[in-house]
Amino acid sequence: MLDIKRIRSNYNEVSELLQRKGSYSLEKVVAYDDERRSLMSKSEAIKARQNQASKEVSRMKAEGLDTEGILSEMKEISNEAKELQARINELAEAINSELLSIPNTPSPNVTIGKSELDNPVVREWGDPPEFSFDIAAHWDIGTSLGILDFETAVKISGARFSMWRGMGAKLERALISFMLDMHSDKYTEIIPPLMVTRKTLTSTGHLPKFEEDAFRIDSVDSFMIPTAEVPLTSIYADEIIPYESLPQLFCAFTPCFRAEAGSAGRDTRGLIRNHQFDKVELVKFSHPDDSYEQLESLTKDAQRVLETLGIAYRTVELCTGDMGFASAKTYDIEVWMPSYNRYVEISSCSNMEDYQARRANIRYRGKDGKLAYAHTLNGSALAVGRTFAALLENYQTEDGSVIVPEALRPYLGGIDIIRNGQEQA
């Protein structure tokens, strides 16, 4: 969340940056804080009066004087103090609630824009393949090869679920292992819980704003993770990271669960937008001075997956109007999808600065011994299902088979092509 002290001391700057993301007002949170500050001053004055009266009572009793009047006054003061404190507590909760609903400010150097149409392309790699035959979409390729089974998945779980069979399951598993092997020499691999508490999901900025997009388990008021970013970022919640151990780098493969609220009619076929999907995630905890250098490095780590697989992509910088709620700066990596005849997002790499760290109370102790909030970063490297789909489409052949990229062949026992009717054992 944003720091109320920063809002008060740099009101115009923070307000202007927020307007680049959309229409967000700071008036209410400042009004609450003004009232809280005023009442706290009154509360301190009352406490001083209580201390003074207590001393007077002791003196009067020692001198044998009547204390009934001053004791009556003290009772009134005590009641007033309790009422003040109750209101101060209410205001503290109101301030916290308002701060939780205000997004992160974009970095001042992020491109100002309203939508994805304003996102500048910062890198292009590889050439989209040219085909001499009519191409097929990944859902048709996978179904024809017998490696994707959408009908059974829908029968079992409903719309927007998928099932991999035989060589399809092996290819999905190969992609997961390939991605983890690429990253685990640099990032510490984690197998995190797939269910998190409300507090944990709030810490990363997914709650309260995106609760309708989360799968909630009512009996325990917990949630299935929408991304491994959530449990990985919370590893250091309420902890202090030694300065010398920064940056901290983690990676994890997990299934992810999203209700996809509000996405009706978008990418309803295939693997692009499912309620359950596999993803390899990268998370960093950084010193504020080098977090943007860490963002560039994280983005390169994600790009390297597609480069090694030989699949064309481009990287765009999200403009202010297209950025995520908690992000200060984000790069989207978009993979070429022949059946769409366009690039499709396969990874988002973001610097959250200290926005998540404030919510989760993640701090580091500097060389001077003082505590400060760390910067957190995250990125997909990559969304496995979308990589699977891109691989099928970019490496499809005229006879319906799919060439296996050379980098993946060791993970599939040396298989170089996936054919219809191929031995699945």
Side-chain angles (χ1 to χ4, degrees):
M1 63 175 68
L2 299 183
D3 184 1
I4 187 64
K5 293 180 182 178
R6 177 190 173 202
I7 292 173
R8 295 194 68 92
S9 61
N10 300 281
Y11 182 89
N12 290 335
E13 176 191 352
V14 174
S15 183
E16 194 277 329
L17 286 172
L18 284 176
Q19 298 317 306
R20 297 181 184 184
K21 272 194 169 184
S23 180
Y24 297 97
S25 173
L26 298 173
E27 292 180 3
K28 187 180 290 187
V29 71
V30 170
Y32 285 149
D33 193 50
D34 283 341
E35 184 181 354
R36 183 185 67 88
R37 286 168 174 243
S38 175
L39 294 183
M40 286 181 70
S41 295
K42 289 182 180 180
S43 178
E44 290 301 317
I46 287 174
K47 287 178 182 177
R49 174 58 184 144
Q50 284 177 312
N51 290 335
Q52 180 184 1
S54 179
K55 292 177 182 179
E56 289 181 15
V57 168
S58 297
R59 177 186 60 80
M60 292 172 71
K61 284 183 177 180
E63 296 176 2
L65 300 175
D66 183 9
T67 60
E68 183 177 347
I70 194 169
L71 288 174
S72 177
E73 180 189 354
M74 287 182 68
K75 185 176 181 180
E76 291 179 6
I77 292 175
S78 178
N79 290 335
E80 183 179 357
K82 289 178 181 177
E83 291 176 2
L84 272 177
Q85 190 58 53
R87 178 56 181 162
I88 289 170
N89 292 342
E90 288 178 2
L91 288 168
E93 290 182 8
I95 291 168
N96 188 64
S97 178
E98 281 297 311
L99 289 174
L100 288 175
S101 69
I102 297 171
N104 198 2
T105 51
S107 175
N109 65 358
V110 170
T111 300
I112 298 174
K114 294 182 178 180
S115 73
E116 61 183 16
L117 299 177
D118 301 316
N119 294 339
V121 177
V122 298
R123 187 173 192 218
E124 292 182 277
W125 186 92
D127 297 317
E130 296 181 2
F131 298 95
S132 60
F133 54 90
D134 292 335
I135 60 172
H138 68 272
W139 53 84
D140 289 328
I141 298 169
T143 301
S144 296
L145 289 172
I147 62 175
L148 286 175
D149 185 349
F150 298 106
E151 289 187 5
T152 302
V154 170
K155 179 182 71 173
I156 294 170
S157 301
R160 295 201 176 187
F161 285 90
S162 302
M163 178 179 285
W164 289 255
R165 286 183 177 270
M167 190 56 66
K170 289 184 177 182
L171 180 57
E172 180 84 354
R173 179 158 50 89
L175 283 167
I176 294 165
S177 296
F178 163 72
M179 292 177 190
L180 286 175
D181 284 349
M182 284 195 72
H183 303 307
S184 57
D185 60 338
K186 181 177 178 182
Y187 297 77
T188 300
E189 186 175 347
I190 301 289
I191 300 179
L194 301 183
M195 185 173 75
V196 295
T197 65
R198 178 176 290 274
K199 178 183 177 182
T200 298
L201 206 57
T202 302
S203 295
T204 53
H206 290 82
L207 294 182
K209 183 174 177 61
F210 301 107
E211 184 156 355
E212 68 171 2
D213 204 33
F215 281 110
R216 179 170 178 264
I217 302 162
D218 293 342
S219 60
V220 289
D221 193 27
S222 291
F223 300 82
M224 301 304 294
I225 62 168
T227 164
E229 167 201 341
V230 175
L232 292 184
T233 302
S234 296
I235 286 174
Y236 285 116
D238 297 316
E239 293 190 20
I240 297 170
I241 308 172
Y243 176 88
E244 59 273 11
S245 70
L246 289 173
Q248 287 281 306
L249 282 58
F250 297 102
C251 68
F253 155 70
T254 64
C256 304
F257 306 87
R258 296 182 188 176
E260 294 292 351
S263 63
R266 296 174 57 201
D267 303 321
T268 55
R269 297 191 70 182
L271 301 172
I272 300 302
R273 199 175 294 276
N274 281 190
H275 291 312
Q276 176 184 328
F277 58 96
D278 293 334
K279 187 152 69 79
V280 172
E281 188 76 5
L282 308 179
V283 164
K284 292 185 176 185
F285 299 86
S286 170
H287 188 282
D289 289 349
D290 36 344
S291 66
Y292 278 95
E293 180 181 336
Q294 292 295 332
L295 175 61
E296 298 299 323
S297 138
L298 185 150
T299 305
K300 288 179 181 178
D301 289 337
Q303 291 172 163
R304 189 161 56 97
V305 177
L306 290 173
E307 291 171 10
T308 307
L309 292 175
I311 302 176
Y313 71 86
R314 70 178 187 182
T315 301
V316 301
E317 176 201 307
L318 297 194
C319 71
T320 54
D322 196 33
M323 292 175 64
F325 182 80
S327 174
K329 183 172 184 177
T330 296
Y331 293 116
D332 268 10
I333 302 171
E334 300 176 339
V335 68
W336 178 255
M337 294 291 289
S339 74
Y340 289 65
N341 195 35
R342 61 178 172 85
Y343 289 95
V344 174
E345 178 199 337
I346 199 167
S347 170
S348 282
C349 300
S350 301
N351 186 355
M352 308 301 192
E353 295 189 351
D354 66 1
Y355 187 84
Q356 292 178 327
R358 287 184 178 277
R359 296 167 81 115
N361 193 29
I362 302 168
R363 297 173 295 171
Y364 70 93
R365 190 177 300 279
K367 290 181 178 179
D368 58 2
K370 294 181 180 179
L371 293 176
Y373 289 102
H375 281 195
T376 62
L377 304 92
N378 64 75
S380 305
L382 298 166
V384 184
R386 294 190 179 197
T387 307
F388 187 107
L391 190 154
L392 294 192
E393 294 201 5
N394 283 276
Y395 281 99
Q396 62 182 297
T397 65
E398 188 170 8
D399 66 3
S401 59
V402 174
I403 297 169
V404 177
E406 188 172 345
L408 276 184
R409 293 173 189 176
Y411 295 90
L412 289 170
I415 292 174
D416 59 1
I417 192 164
I418 300 173
R419 298 184 175 85
N420 189 18
Q422 187 172 15
E423 175 61 44
Q424 303 292 302

